[in-house]
Amino acid sequence: MASFDQKLAMAKHCSHEGAVAGAKAAVVATIATAIPTVASARMLPWGRAHLNHTAQALIISTVAGAAYFIVADKTVLKTARKNSFNNSTDQP
């Protein structure tokens, strides 16, 4: 049976993996959202009239935040599930 310190180390490892994966997803989502948002605000007449700098930043940051939390949550759950199956096979 895994000791408390091993379980704590595994939980820290799972959360760290989730944070790294979430950060990578947030960077990709920021780039993927920023390009069309800024281009729309510059080129389209509707965008020029309605998408000021604050609106553009809000759109981009919302997508980046959502990507971070979704990917981090899925990664933590996947890692925890994998470790829970590994620990269950160690027990008699």
Side-chain angles (χ1 to χ4, degrees), residues 5-84:
D5 291 334
Q6 288 174 332
K7 289 181 182 180
L8 184 62
M10 191 60 66
K12 286 182 181 180
H13 178 71
C14 290
S15 63
H16 178 71
E17 275 189 38
V20 170
K24 288 179 183 179
V27 169
V28 170
T30 299
I31 294 168
T33 306
I35 294 169
T37 301
V38 172
S40 298
R42 302 283 187 263
M43 295 180 192
L44 299 176
W46 183 90
R48 241 183 272 139
H50 293 90
L51 294 177
N52 60 13
H53 295 294
T54 304
Q56 294 172 38
L58 183 62
I59 292 167
I60 294 166
S61 64
T62 301
V63 171
Y68 175 84
F69 286 112
I70 290 168
V71 172
D73 183 51
K74 286 183 176 272
T75 304
V76 167
L77 290 174
K78 181 181 80 172
T79 308
R81 190 176 302 117
K82 180 182 73 172
N83 291 329
S84 115

